[in-house]
Amino acid sequence: MDPAPERTDDGDAPGADVDEDPRAADGRRPGRRGLATRQRLLDCTAAMLASGSYRELKVVDIAREAGTSPATFYQYFADVESAVVVLAEEMAARGKRFGDHVRTSTWRGRSGYAAAEALVDDVISFWEENRAVLRVVDLATDEGDGRFANVRTRLLNDLNNALAEAIGEMQAGGRIPADVDPQAPAGVLVSMLVHVAAHRYGFEFWGVRTADLRTSMARIVYWSISGQRPPTG
Amino acid sequence: MDPAPERTDDGDAPGADVDEDPRAADGRRPGRRGLATRQRLLDCTAAMLASGSYRELKVVDIAREAGTSPATFYQYFADVESAVVVLAEEMAARGKRFGDHVRTSTWRGRSGYAAAEALVDDVISFWEENRAVLRVVDLATDEGDGRFANVRTRLLNDLNNALAEAIGEMQAGGRIPADVDPQAPAGVLVSMLVHVAAHRYGFEFWGVRTADLRTSMARIVYWSISGQRPPTG
DNA sequence: TGTACATCAGTGAACGCGCGTTCACTGATGTAC
DNA sequence: TGTACATCAGTGAACGCGCGTTCACTGATGTAC
């Protein structure tokens, strides 16, 4: 599932992030020590995801890397995927900022273009920090895994809506054709940002500088939202 | 590796697609019957990739699905990934058309906009046909797997260069700022096309129509290449 | 056209490792009084 | 502050399935004459 228009809730337990109340396999709330171990397992999962392939990520390896035993892993997670889902949820929580970013910006004139640049930067650095997890989220979502799709939605929904609102407002000003559904360009922008951010290294390898990508995207973002030609130079 | 500027060769055996001369495990050229079996295995791999998760795709299952034995599988492929690489290469060969598409189009005025729409359609339908394989290619490339990265490059390289050329020509006409490196917007466009095409269903699920995505992307493509506001309505 | 031989193709069956998973136990930490 | 007890946390060791992988063999197909 990609960007998601107009949704208020995500269908989870009311107001509670899944990660907020972790339980051990027998249903008990882990104490200080337990939570630390659990966190260590999550950290190792993240690290191994960043350095190796998802297909080959095994419970045994994570446990060994964390200096503990497989049995311990199963006290906190049902399987590898569940651990990755938790990582994804932690990440999604960190991504709440994007919506605010868009809403508190002005999208006209010079400062509008600056806002576009700032948004692009923000997205790029966020993706940089979360490459490995995002990669799996995308794959699993595509493969029809509902848990990951849900997380992905939470992450992109807000940004998508915020962009659509901004475009809708500009539409009222007549710069954007009235028959455009703001959700569509918003979704396209989100996709562009997400995908380019995800493949930044790929571009660099082929000689395209991040600075140029950033400019190209900022120009497209600015133009798509404001309907105005971006400032030159 | 993402879109790739300016590369002529891919470093393979000269002029030979890997798939053109398949060998059995012992190095012999399979005959009619052998090739048919091999193809059946590939087809099943593709089918299972389309319906299940990559992480859980096993040699045994593919063989069973193809009505043959694991031993047979190993006569044609070293492992699951190798089979998927072959699928990816077949796909990349089919994707050669994009570059021509761009080069034979005019990018000015009404017909320029029509060209943008046609390109968008072409990319969308290609991705539709190759969803499952492309998904794995993206993941594996991201994870640093050179074989997949190579295929991905072959697929996108040509389109990327063609777009960069088109932008470069328009730059000469003054519509696009001279300090823009054409490879950057070209790469961004490729990314956008690829990612939106890959997540079409996601958008539809959330109420954004493919027709609107198509229009949004065509507008961005047209604007990025020609530097001109797209025609309204 | 038939027979003999060579190569191609496919597989049953087995081997064994890797890994997921569990359980009964030990040690650590917290709490009551 | 010390002792006894309860719960928390962690794990060694084992079990066993699933799967990758191989080998020796059978059957199919092709070719020579």
Side-chain angles (χ1 to χ4, degrees):
Chain A
M1 306 305 126
D2 229 75
E6 322 288 15
R7 284 184 101 237
T8 327
D9 201 342
D10 303 299
D12 273 343
D17 241 340
V18 172
D19 198 34
E20 268 176 25
D21 186 21
R23 303 295 181 107
D26 54 6
R28 302 182 177 237
R29 289 190 170 78
R32 230 180 294 114
R33 190 159 74 120
L35 286 176
T37 303
R38 197 185 98 109
Q39 191 55 50
R40 200 148 33 87
L41 286 166
L42 283 173
D43 293 344
C44 290
T45 304
M48 300 188 74
L49 216 48
S51 66
S53 101
Y54 179 48
R55 196 168 202 273
E56 282 156 20
L57 184 57
K58 315 287 180 187
V59 169
V60 185
D61 299 327
I62 297 171
R64 189 165 36 226
E65 181 78 15
T68 181
S69 77
T72 302
F73 181 94
Y74 285 104
Q75 228 158 26
Y76 300 106
F77 311 103
D79 49 30
V80 173
E81 293 198 11
S82 305
V84 180
V85 168
V86 173
L87 285 175
E89 280 171 355
E90 290 181 356
M91 175 200 70
R94 272 177 268 130
K96 295 290 183 199
R97 63 169 188 254
F98 292 129
D100 299 337
H101 196 149
V102 171
R103 272 181 271 261
T104 58
S105 302
T106 331
W107 293 102
R108 286 168 218 274
R110 285 259 162 210
S111 69
Y113 185 70
E117 283 182 312
L119 176 64
V120 168
D121 287 345
D122 197 10
V123 172
I124 289 179
S125 66
F126 184 83
W127 248 252
E128 198 51 48
E129 290 155 22
N130 299 282
R131 283 183 74 70
V133 171
L134 280 160
R135 188 199 285 158
V136 175
V137 169
D138 278 2
L139 175 82
T141 296
D142 246 33
E143 286 179 346
D145 186 315
R147 292 177 299 173
F148 284 102
N150 187 11
V151 175
R152 192 169 200 277
T153 296
R154 289 217 293 280
L155 179 61
L156 300 182
N157 195 11
D158 194 39
L159 173 57
N160 198 80
N161 287 339
L163 286 172
E165 284 165 31
I167 293 170
E169 282 167 26
M170 288 315 208
Q171 212 169 22
R175 284 285 186 178
I176 306 272
D179 62 339
V180 168
D181 171 3
Q183 291 290 348
V188 170
L189 289 179
V190 170
S191 271
M192 176 191 73
L193 289 164
V194 162
H195 192 257
V196 173
H199 293 275
R200 213 191 83 175
Y201 284 133
F203 285 101
E204 291 212 333
F205 183 82
W206 291 107
V208 180
R209 290 154 184 262
T210 298
D212 291 333
L213 294 177
R214 179 178 171 267
T215 304
S216 293
M217 290 202 288
R219 287 169 51 83
I220 289 173
V221 168
Y222 178 72
W223 176 76
S224 294
I225 295 179
S226 73
Q228 299 197 299
R229 195 180 293 265
T232 325
Chain B
M1 309 302 126
D2 228 75
E6 323 288 13
R7 284 183 103 239
T8 327
D9 201 342
D10 303 300
D12 274 343
D17 238 340
V18 172
D19 198 33
E20 267 175 26
D21 186 20
R23 303 295 180 107
D26 54 7
R28 303 182 177 237
R29 288 191 171 76
R32 233 181 294 115
R33 190 159 75 119
L35 286 176
T37 303
R38 197 185 98 111
Q39 192 55 50
R40 202 149 32 87
L41 287 166
L42 284 174
D43 293 343
C44 289
T45 304
M48 300 187 73
L49 217 48
S51 66
S53 101
Y54 178 48
R55 195 166 204 271
E56 282 155 20
L57 184 57
K58 314 287 180 188
V59 169
V60 185
D61 300 327
I62 298 172
R64 188 163 36 223
E65 181 79 13
T68 181
S69 77
T72 303
F73 182 93
Y74 286 104
Q75 228 157 26
Y76 300 106
F77 310 102
D79 49 29
V80 173
E81 293 198 10
S82 306
V84 179
V85 168
V86 173
L87 285 175
E89 279 170 356
E90 290 180 356
M91 175 200 69
R94 273 177 267 130
K96 296 289 183 201
R97 64 170 188 255
F98 293 128
D100 299 336
H101 196 148
V102 172
R103 272 180 271 261
T104 58
S105 303
T106 331
W107 292 102
R108 283 168 221 275
R110 286 257 163 211
S111 70
Y113 185 70
E117 282 182 313
L119 176 64
V120 169
D121 287 344
D122 198 10
V123 172
I124 288 180
S125 67
F126 184 84
W127 249 252
E128 197 52 46
E129 289 155 21
N130 300 282
R131 284 182 75 68
V133 171
L134 280 161
R135 188 199 285 158
V136 175
V137 169
D138 278 3
L139 176 82
T141 296
D142 246 33
E143 287 179 346
D145 186 315
R147 293 177 300 172
F148 283 102
N150 187 11
V151 174
R152 193 170 201 277
T153 296
R154 290 217 293 279
L155 178 62
L156 299 182
N157 195 11
D158 195 38
L159 173 58
N160 198 80
N161 286 340
L163 286 172
E165 285 165 29
I167 293 169
E169 282 167 27
M170 288 314 208
Q171 212 169 25
R175 284 285 186 177
I176 307 273
D179 62 340
V180 168
D181 171 3
Q183 292 290 348
V188 170
L189 289 179
V190 170
S191 271
M192 176 190 73
L193 288 164
V194 163
H195 192 257
V196 174
H199 292 277
R200 213 192 82 174
Y201 284 133
F203 286 100
E204 290 213 333
F205 183 82
W206 290 109
V208 180
R209 290 155 183 263
T210 299
D212 291 333
L213 293 177
R214 180 178 171 264
T215 305
S216 293
M217 290 202 288
R219 286 167 54 81
I220 290 172
V221 168
Y222 177 73
W223 176 76
S224 293
I225 295 180
S226 72
Q228 300 197 298
R229 195 181 293 265
T232 324

